[in-house]
């Protein structure tokens, strides 16, 4: 493993920790309130803990599938849709899944989850993602449309899609870099087009 790969692993680990830090901190706060004799609404504290646990589980399931190892499950469109919807919904993002039910190669399933992750990052104020599959001459194409207020790739995300090495990236840029590396491993490319101020198109093109 080269120095750049080590740096990428560090950045992805930092992103995972960042996504889990907020719900875990909320769980800790809720448990403290439940044991505080001066806090009168135990039910409210219990709701806080429950919501935070569900958020942490959704993040962990998605990030494990996108960055870790979920094995053959990554080839099951139902599983991919479920973990993606659960993760995105808690970020105020709706998912329109137009992939169908046919099984996928696990490596393609991981690639699609990372495409959705980048789409989610491009919607800082929430919105909707629409993922569709289409056949093109001598290629297989997956299109992701991100729609919402201020939708678009931030500079660090664009840099992740452009640079050759992970050096100098931040955790957000590392996700885009990891996505591009996964696409390249399958002989594919990622194309980003800002179609309107609130509409971003991300296209995954896999050459036959």
């Amino acid at each position: 493993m080269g120095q750049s790969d080590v740096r990428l692993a560090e950045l992805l680990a930092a992103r995972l920790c960042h996504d889990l830090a907020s719900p875990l901190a909320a769980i800790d706060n809720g448990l403290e309130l439940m044991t505080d004799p001066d806090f009168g609404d135990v039910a409210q504290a219990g709701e806080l803990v429950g919501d935070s646990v569900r958020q942490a589980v959704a993040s962990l399931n998605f990030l494990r599938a996108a960055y870790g190892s979920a094995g053959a499950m990554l080839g099951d469109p139902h599983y991919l849709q479920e973990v993606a919807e659960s993760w995105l919904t808690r970020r105020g993002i709706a998912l329109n899944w137009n992939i169908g039910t046919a099984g996928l190669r696990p490596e393609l399933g991981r690639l699609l989850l990372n495409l959705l992750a980048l789409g989610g990052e491009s919607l800082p104020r929430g919105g909707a993602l629409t993922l569709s599959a289409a056949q093109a001459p001598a290629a297989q194409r997956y299109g992701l449309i991100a729609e919402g207020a201020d939708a678009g790739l931030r500079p660090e995300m664009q840099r992740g899609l452009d640079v050759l090495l992970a050096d100098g990236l931040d955790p957000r840029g590392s996700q885009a870099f990891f996505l591009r590396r996964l696409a390249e491993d399958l002989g594919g490319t990622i194309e980003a087009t800002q179609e309107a101020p609130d509409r971003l198109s991300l296209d995954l093109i896999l050459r036959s």
Side-chain angles (χ1 to χ4, degrees):
M1 180 181 291
Q3 182 176 356
S4 182
D5 289 333
V6 171
R7 177 59 178 160
L8 176 60
E10 292 172 346
L11 290 168
L12 292 178
R15 176 187 167 85
L16 188 151
C17 292
H18 177 271
D19 275 26
L20 293 178
S22 179
L24 292 178
I27 292 170
D28 184 56
N29 291 336
L31 292 175
E32 286 187 7
L33 290 175
M34 292 177 71
T35 58
D36 184 349
D38 296 325
F39 185 73
D41 197 341
V42 175
Q44 180 183 354
E47 290 179 5
L48 172 63
V49 171
D51 288 343
S52 300
V53 167
R54 286 185 285 273
Q55 181 180 346
V57 170
S59 294
L60 189 60
N61 285 340
F62 180 86
L63 295 170
R64 174 177 176 264
Y67 303 145
S69 176
M73 295 296 291
L74 289 171
D76 182 350
H78 294 293
Y79 170 78
L80 297 174
Q81 181 179 3
E82 181 180 348
V83 297
E85 281 184 336
S86 180
W87 185 68
L88 290 166
T89 297
R90 297 184 181 280
R91 285 161 173 74
I93 300 172
L95 174 61
N96 301 308
W97 179 271
N98 300 322
I99 295 299
T101 60
L104 304 171
R105 290 177 292 168
E107 57 269 27
L108 176 56
R110 184 188 308 281
L111 181 52
L112 292 178
L113 288 182
N114 277 274
L115 184 66
L116 288 169
L118 184 61
E121 288 288 343
S122 74
L123 293 172
R125 300 181 186 177
L129 293 174
T130 299
L131 180 64
S132 304
Q135 292 292 333
Q140 189 173 18
R141 189 184 192 101
Y142 292 87
L144 181 66
I145 300 296
E147 296 177 292
D150 201 25
L153 291 181
R154 276 45 189 171
E156 60 271 28
M157 297 154 66
Q158 185 63 60
R159 175 171 166 77
L161 290 177
D162 294 338
V163 299
L164 297 179
L165 299 174
D167 303 331
L169 295 176
D170 66 3
R172 181 176 291 181
S174 70
Q175 196 284 317
F177 180 82
F178 185 58
L179 167 64
R180 197 197 75 208
R181 287 274 298 267
L182 290 176
E184 290 173 347
D185 286 345
L186 294 183
T189 57
I190 303 291
E191 296 180 359
T193 305
Q194 190 73 47
E195 298 183 343
D198 296 334
R199 181 183 171 96
L200 172 71
S201 172
L202 295 169
D203 289 309
L204 165 63
I205 303 170
L206 302 174
R207 307 293 179 188
S208 300

